[in-house]
Amino acid sequence: MKFVELKKTLKTKIANAYIIFGSDRFLQSKSMDLINANCIENFKEMNETVYNDENINVQQMLEIAQTLPFMSKYRVIFVKECFSKMNDGDKNRIIEYLKKPVSTTVLVFVAEEKNDFLKKCGAHATDIDCNFLDNATLSKIVAAMCAENGKQITANALNNLIEYCGFDLSKIANEVIKLASYCTDPVIKPEDVEVNVAKTMDYEMYRIANAIIAKDTSAAIKLYEYMLRVKGYTQYILGALANFMRRYFYLQATKNNVDLCVSAFKIGPYPISMMVKETNKLKKVELMNSISAVLETDYQIKSGHAPDINAIYSLIMNIIYKL
C-alpha cells in the first residue's frame, strides 16, 4: 500500500509484519510513528525495540518477538537497514517466524529498497511504499503542515517552497515551522518563501543547468559564482552538473518517460517533470557532447592541467556555445 493509505488501514487492521521501503526518509519515519501510535498504548520504552546495523542480534530479536507486550495490545520491533549483517541462517529463521508470527508482536522491516531477503519476507508481510510522492499529494501534505502551524499558503508560495526544499519532506517540515514563526500574516506568500526558506544545493544546480540549456550565459555565471560562495568547492558543482546533464540525456533517450527516470535517478516525479520542457529544446548529440565536456573538465582539473574555478567557467561557456 501507499503511505497515504496507511493511517486509514491501521484503524481497521494491524498486520503482524510490515516492510517499509522507499527513498523518502520522512515518509519512512512517519510510517514508523503511525505504527507505534496505533499499536503501543502504554510504556513505549518497554514495548518498542529498534535494531540497526550496530546492534542487530537475530536470536535476541526472535526471543523478544515471542514475549508478550507489557500493558499494551502489541509489541513493536523495528529492523532498520541491517540485512547485510545477517547470515543465511538468520534470514531463514526470520522467514520461518513470519509464517507463524506471535499475534501480539508487530515486526517492521525498514529499507530504502527491497532486497532478495525482503522480497521473500513480502509473502508474509504488508508493504508500505514510501517512495517520493506525486506533486498533488505532496502539495496536500504541505498545505496540511501549514494548517497545523496556524497558516494558510498560496499556490505559488506552496510550489516555491517544495522546489526550494528539493521535494524533501523533512526539509519542508522544518521550513514550515520557520515560516510560521517569521510570518506575521496568516497567509504565507511567495515573497515570504523567497526571503525565509533556504534553497537546497540541488535546486541551485537545477537553476544553473536550466540557465545553460536556455543559453543564458549571464545567469549561468552568476549562479555559478553564488554556488562558489555558498558551497566553497568545485568538485560538488562539477559532479552535480554532470548529474543534471545525465538526467536531461536520459529524458531525451526515453522520450520523456518520467517514470523510468524516477526509477533510474531515485528522485521524485515532480523535479523530473519540470525538466521535460527544457529537454525538448535539445538534441541527443548536444547532451552527449555536454556530458563529455564535463568529464573532460573533471580530468583536466584532477590531472592538474587546469585550475578548477577557471576550468568550470570555461566549461559553462563551452557548453552554451556548442548547444
Side-chain angles (χ1 to χ4, degrees):
M1 78 181 115
K2 296 287 187 182
F3 165 79
V4 292
E5 304 169 79
L6 179 60
K7 188 173 183 179
K8 183 178 179 181
T9 302
L10 286 171
K11 291 186 182 301
T12 57
K13 182 182 178 182
I14 293 175
N16 287 118
Y18 292 97
I19 300 173
I20 299 173
F21 70 96
S23 303
D24 196 314
R25 299 287 183 180
F26 182 85
L27 296 183
Q28 286 188 3
S29 177
K30 283 296 181 183
S31 296
M32 293 169 66
D33 290 344
L34 283 170
I35 290 170
N36 264 344
N38 283 272
C39 293
I40 301 176
E41 300 140 311
N42 303 295
F43 299 99
K44 180 183 174 184
E45 66 279 5
M46 299 185 71
N47 290 307
E48 179 195 41
T49 308
V50 181
Y51 288 102
N52 53 43
D53 59 359
E54 294 181 358
N55 70 341
I56 182 62
N57 182 324
V58 171
Q59 181 61 37
Q60 180 192 72
M61 183 192 79
L62 292 176
E63 288 174 2
I64 292 174
Q66 301 282 349
T67 306
L68 290 172
F70 181 75
M71 298 181 70
S72 179
K73 286 183 181 179
Y74 296 96
R75 174 180 298 281
V76 180
I77 301 173
F78 293 106
V79 185
K80 302 171 65 177
E81 297 282 7
C82 53
F83 312 108
S84 62
K85 297 290 182 75
M86 298 179 187
N87 58 41
D88 289 341
D90 288 336
K91 292 175 182 177
N92 288 334
R93 284 198 293 275
I94 291 172
I95 291 171
E96 286 304 310
Y97 166 81
L98 290 174
K99 291 177 181 177
K100 293 182 179 179
V102 174
S103 61
T104 53
T105 296
V106 178
L107 184 58
V108 185
F109 302 102
V110 185
E112 186 169 339
E113 294 183 357
K114 290 176 67 177
N115 56 23
D116 290 340
F117 166 64
L118 290 180
K119 288 175 183 176
K120 290 179 182 177
C121 293
H124 315 286
T126 299
D127 284 348
I128 303 171
D129 185 344
C130 290
N131 280 304
F132 291 107
L133 300 170
D134 61 85
N135 190 46
T137 306
L138 187 60
S139 296
K140 288 178 183 177
I141 290 176
V142 176
M145 286 180 179
C146 293
E148 287 171 6
N149 284 273
K151 298 289 182 181
Q152 293 178 305
I153 185 167
T154 68
N156 287 339
L158 178 63
N159 287 333
N160 290 349
L161 173 61
I162 291 170
E163 288 176 22
Y164 291 177
C165 293
F167 315 92
D168 184 324
L169 270 170
S170 298
K171 290 187 178 71
I172 292 170
N174 290 331
E175 294 297 340
V176 167
I177 294 170
K178 187 202 298 183
L179 285 166
S181 299
Y182 282 101
C183 299
T184 55
D185 194 273
V187 179
I188 298 170
K189 301 179 180 65
E191 52 266 33
D192 299 319
V193 175
E194 186 65 35
V195 171
N196 294 296
V197 173
K199 301 177 180 69
T200 63
M201 292 299 105
D202 200 55
Y203 175 75
E204 297 294 0
M205 283 309 307
Y206 166 75
R207 293 176 69 199
I208 291 179
N210 245 17
I212 290 172
I213 286 172
K215 300 184 180 181
D216 189 339
T217 307
S218 176
I221 294 298
K222 284 179 181 177
L223 287 165
Y224 169 52
E225 290 173 345
Y226 169 77
M227 287 290 286
L228 279 176
R229 291 196 302 272
V230 174
K231 200 64 183 177
Y233 60 94
T234 54
Q235 278 306 119
Y236 170 85
I237 297 171
L238 193 61
L241 185 57
N243 192 32
F244 268 93
M245 290 302 173
R246 289 191 186 100
R247 291 180 193 176
Y248 282 118
F249 176 77
Y250 201 82
L251 272 170
Q252 233 340 325
T254 60
K255 298 181 179 178
N256 292 333
N257 190 317
V258 173
D259 290 337
L260 282 177
C261 292
V262 167
S263 176
F265 292 104
K266 307 298 181 190
I267 58 175
Y270 186 53
I272 291 291
S273 62
M274 286 171 60
M275 300 171 73
V276 168
K277 63 180 181 180
E278 303 302 330
T279 307
N280 293 332
K281 300 175 184 177
L282 303 170
K283 295 177 182 177
K284 197 183 297 184
V285 66
E286 293 173 334
L287 287 167
M288 287 180 66
N289 290 338
S290 298
I291 293 169
S292 297
V294 173
L295 296 176
E296 176 61 25
T297 300
D298 185 52
Y299 169 75
Q300 292 292 329
I301 292 171
K302 288 179 178 175
S303 62
H305 290 111
D308 53 356
I309 293 175
N310 291 341
I312 297 178
Y313 272 118
S314 298
L315 170 65
I316 291 171
M317 301 293 289
N318 187 31
I319 292 175
I320 290 174
Y321 176 75
K322 290 185 176 180
L323 285 178

